[in-house]
Amino acid sequence: MTSETATSRYNFKETEAKWQSLWEESGCFNVEIDPEKPKYYVLEMFPYPSGRIHMGHVRNYTMGDVVARYKRAQGFNVLHPMGWDAFGMPAENAAMEQRVHPGKWTYENIAMMRSQLRKMGLALDWSRELATCHPGYYESEQRMFLKFLEQDLVYRRRSSVNWDPVDNTVLANEQVIDGLGWRSGAPVERRELDQWFFRITDFSEELLEGLKNLERWPAKVRTMQENWIGRSEGMKVWFELEGHDDRLQIFTTRHDTIFGATFCAISPDHPLSKDLAQNDADLTTFIEECRSLGTTEAALEKAEKRGYKTGLRAKHPLTEGKTIPVFVANFVLMEYGTGAIYGCPAHDQRDLDFARKYNLDVIPVVIPPDADPADFAVDDVAYTDDGLHANSDFLDGLGLADAKEAVANVLEEKEIGNREINFRLRDWGVSRQRYWGCPIPIINCPDCGTIPVPESELPVCLPDDIDFEKPGNPLDRHPTWKFVDCPKCGSAAERETDTLDTFVESSWYFSRFCCPRSEDPVDSEAMEYWMPVDQYIGGIEHAILHLLYSRFFTRAMQKCGYIDFDEPFAGLFTQGMVCHETYRTDDGEWLMPTQVESDDGGSLKSVENGAAVQVGRSEKMSKSKKNVVDPEDIIETYGADTARWFMLSDSPPDRDLEWTDSGVAGSWRFVNRLWRLVAENADQERAAEPEKFDKELRAVRQQVHQTIGGVTDDLEGFHFNRAVARIYELVNALSGVGAGTTEERWVLREGLKIMVQLIGPMMPHLAEELWSRLGNTTSLADEPWPKADKDLMASETVTLAVQVRGKLRATIEVPHDVDQESAEAAALAEPAVVAALEGKTVNRIIYVPNKIINVVHG
RNA sequence: GCCCGCUUGGCGGAAUUGGUAGACGCAACGGACUUAAAAUCCGUUGUCCGAAAGGGCGUGCCGGUUCGAGUCCGGCAGCGGGCACCA
């Protein structure tokens, strides 16, 4: 560019700052309850203030902003708030590593990230900003905790944690690496502590049923939650033990296979296991080994299936005189069912593997339909499908369902078994032995037990003067904080030093956004108007825990009378991750994209020392692999609109997005192309609408109006990448229109105006700027969404594909909705069709109006 | 291990309910403009055969349903998410 002209490069820095301050001054995105207007609540999962925003945030908040701005243009009163999920472990880790107070670290991060988010130009109501680590927020949480306690939604019981015996601290699962503590490297033990639990299992059935009505949730998330809740209909059955006073209660969902039972297995945590271990040193060792596996389900499931033969024998409940051995087995979970099972190896793969390992009998009792009962045997693959029962006394000849029914009736009659509905879902353990969380407002009195902190003394604030020099819970170590008098008897007592799981804060923040400064946890008028969230957007990694806990918490709040709805999120969208190539030197050192450049030969080398760099496959951007691109760098170089546009282009929002420098550069070129296109055509006079347009201009106008319809549908359906493609096509078409005639100029103006409106939600700063350059004095943010002219959208002719036996041979142009006879005649007259049909007899012709015509020959 | 997804050109992807596979973008190549470069504009680009016209093959792999399958069904492989104390 030789001189600065009207068509010089778009100055995004100036323009973006200008519009951001105009939006802020006018407060146009700050909203109040307005009974006259329909509301729309858009929410992205709020960020953890880790330090700087990352590309995942940019993608998430761009999508939410598109929805917010689009719905606003559609006339909704749009609530679009932002806040901080501010409690959590990283703040404590920073405290230990950098000797900075978790609160200071968190608030500084929030300030940094807030300023970064502001540069994105998001249509947010910042007046509602909240941070969960603020006493104003967690006081409400403490009130609700006490209310939950009153309503018996909270209880305390012993439960195991990962214990680091060297650091004397509880470890999170992610802090346990291959069974060792991440800092100490010591083998982690499982230790039992008294911990607080929410009774989420009281709502198992409701949480499952509720999924059916969540029509605007992805089916896969509903399926995942369904499986997580894991409802199963089965039986609890009592087994007498030979030479032992206790009975053993097992749970099974395959009671039809009871005659195939060849062993019983109990959890290492089962009371009977503990009982037996007292007189059995080997069993004690075995149980300890099981406990060294850690607390995660994945670790237990992946571990080799092992058992310990207790020597006890269980009496078969339906076969007189038959006994089967009782094992302690590492794969039986105390948390599920009764912590005891019977094994039927022929019809359960895990039982079969176990039976082969310990030489137990395998008795087939369900015969596949195509097998001979006389010689059907199970080898290494269990038969788990339906069939007729055999070797099963009164069940012989029955199918699976009938056999279950018959067994259930007999066992219930004998009063040694009950039909039971069982859930996989376990109660939610909310105790954390950490500082940076919401204090649990309880006082433990040696005489009175657990006593709630009186409401007048809330909030129970975290002490500021804490010591992170030693590992473990600083609250517990604090010289004075926990020592209080019992509110009931006045004698010396101690505060609960556990804090709440940070999932608790994120289980109701969406309600608090509706009334962020309310004295009560929530304000009923605000709840009534704003809730539920109409569109919730966040990562698929939250498909189960966060979303299920929020659904539970909402029901618990309902039970306590805070609200009168049960589902918090009417619509859910789960976005994909942002990925980037990985770079590694031959020494195995990871490099950031900015530390890599290409050499003359086109291969990559380190900027620093020229060492050869290998390109790895694209993976989720992560600090550990250094494949991160800092959003602030991108916004500095290209502006927020370019970053937003790139986030929306190409990749479908629910899939992973591949970050490429060339793709961003492409978006930047497009931004400038729009800028020039409008600049070159903005000054034309606005003439009255011409009476007639020629065919080409009619086609352009048709495309303009079809694009309105298409983009509208795409935004409604979260197909942002398709909306982007349509806008590219529209701009390509508009670029081809000359500005010579009045008609051309009029069509161009119409097209540009609509194009600017359509990009408004996606590139808001550029759109506002172009909108004003087109001569408008209003803010585009206040402009209604364009409406398509239906008459213009419809076309008169369609292209029909002509197939011969399913193979495309020609395409023909026919009038819209042409009758079959004319279509057939036109198709059969096509030379290519004639050639393909030569010497053949036509058997039938399939005609799908406006789509295809398929000629089928013999 | 269990549950849930995903797989289409060199790359990201498009293809309303089964109906013209590859829109749009990126990259690459060729050309225009320029003293030159950048920027911009125009063109080509799934693959194989062919000078061309045209034709064969093609949506991870194997099989099925159908006049017709990227789309539906069965099986397999690879990759990713979750697995209850990361958020």
Side-chain angles (χ1 to χ4, degrees), chain A residues 409-426:
Chain A
N409 288 338
V410 169
L411 291 176
E412 283 188 337
E413 202 175 298
K414 288 177 182 270
E415 296 186 343
I416 50 170
N418 289 94
R419 278 174 238 248
E420 248 338 283
I421 291 168
N422 192 55
F423 293 91
R424 204 185 78 98
L425 184 66
R426 309 200 296 255

Side-chain angles (χ1 to χ4, degrees), chain A residues 116-335:
Chain A
Q116 291 185 313
L117 287 183
R118 282 185 182 275
K119 286 181 194 159
M120 281 184 64
L122 303 169
L124 289 168
D125 180 350
W126 282 103
S127 73
R128 293 170 184 265
E129 182 181 0
L130 58 81
T132 58
C133 64
H134 192 281
Y137 186 84
Y138 68 68
E139 174 180 351
S140 294
E141 197 163 294
Q142 291 173 343
R143 281 183 203 287
M144 288 194 286
F145 181 91
L146 295 180
K147 195 88 172 178
F148 283 14
L149 194 64
E150 242 174 73
Q151 294 285 324
D152 195 31
L153 290 161
V154 185
Y155 66 100
R156 197 147 89 136
R157 69 165 155 90
R158 285 188 88 73
S159 172
S160 50
V161 294
N162 299 309
W163 181 258
D164 186 319
V166 170
D167 278 352
N168 282 313
T169 193
V170 177
L171 298 179
N173 284 333
E174 72 158 11
Q175 297 174 321
V176 179
I177 297 149
D178 297 329
L180 307 175
W182 68 332
R183 288 188 208 274
S184 70
V188 170
E189 297 166 3
R190 221 154 66 177
R191 180 174 279 207
E192 303 246 294
L193 298 176
D194 279 323
Q195 305 202 70
W196 293 95
F197 283 82
F198 283 167
R199 290 193 197 277
I200 189 172
T201 56
D202 279 6
F203 296 84
S204 301
E205 195 78 58
E206 275 186 56
L207 288 167
L208 185 65
E209 280 300 305
L211 290 171
K212 290 179 186 151
N213 301 321
L214 296 175
E215 285 149 20
R216 293 200 299 117
W217 278 42
K220 64 176 170 184
V221 175
R222 285 184 284 164
T223 313
M224 278 191 257
Q225 292 211 353
E226 203 176 302
N227 291 331
W228 185 262
I229 296 167
R231 184 185 195 273
S232 59
E233 292 181 8
M235 289 200 82
K236 283 184 176 169
V237 185
W238 289 105
F239 279 61
E240 304 267 344
L241 295 171
E242 212 173 40
H244 201 283
D245 291 339
D246 291 335
R247 295 189 300 171
L248 184 62
Q249 191 182 39
I250 63 91
F251 177 76
T252 178
T253 57
R254 283 298 302 271
H255 35 283
D256 62 296
T257 64
I258 194 162
F259 290 100
T262 58
F263 68 94
C264 281
I266 60 176
S267 164
D269 298 319
H270 195 279
L272 182 60
S273 301
K274 294 176 183 175
D275 190 24
L276 293 169
Q278 286 180 355
N279 304 311
D280 185 340
D282 290 345
L283 179 54
T284 306
T285 311
F286 178 78
I287 291 173
E288 273 168 19
E289 280 168 17
C290 292
R291 293 190 159 192
S292 73
L293 280 174
T295 56
T296 73
E297 189 182 318
L300 297 178
E301 289 280 338
K302 266 191 217 156
E304 187 195 1
K305 306 294 176 280
R306 292 173 59 209
Y308 178 89
K309 200 168 182 175
T310 61
L312 269 184
R313 292 191 77 84
K315 295 179 186 170
H316 193 282
L318 295 177
T319 308
E320 191 62 40
K322 179 175 174 176
T323 63
I324 56 177
V326 177
F327 286 77
V328 175
N330 64 355
F331 59 85
V332 182
L333 299 174
M334 194 57 220
E335 311 264 7

Side-chain angles (χ1 to χ4, degrees), chain A residues 605-661:
Chain A
K605 61 174 189 178
S606 159
V607 173
E608 199 183 331
N609 57 21
V613 170
Q614 309 303 319
V615 181
R617 64 187 180 80
S618 182
E619 294 181 55
K620 176 185 178 170
M621 285 189 181
S622 75
K623 282 180 186 162
S624 61
K625 291 187 178 163
K626 294 193 175 175
N627 59 336
V628 290
V629 175
D630 191 324
E632 197 162 343
D633 290 349
I634 299 302
I635 292 174
E636 278 293 306
T637 315
Y638 297 108
D641 284 336
T642 297
R644 293 169 59 122
W645 185 252
F646 177 70
M647 281 295 171
L648 299 167
S649 309
D650 294 357
S651 299
D654 55 343
R655 288 227 221 141
D656 289 352
L657 177 141
E658 174 73 15
W659 180 274
T660 62
D661 290 343

Side-chain angles (χ1 to χ4, degrees), chain A residues 689 698-699 701-706 708 750 787-797 816:
Chain A
E689 180 173 351
R698 266 210 314 278
R701 294 201 66 207
Q702 184 181 336
Q703 187 176 349
V704 168
H705 285 265
Q706 283 173 341
I708 297 175
E750 182 197 30
K787 282 201 169 53
D789 183 333
K790 290 249 158 50
D791 296 339
L792 270 172
M793 282 171 75
S795 54
E796 288 149 23
T797 63
H816 193 258

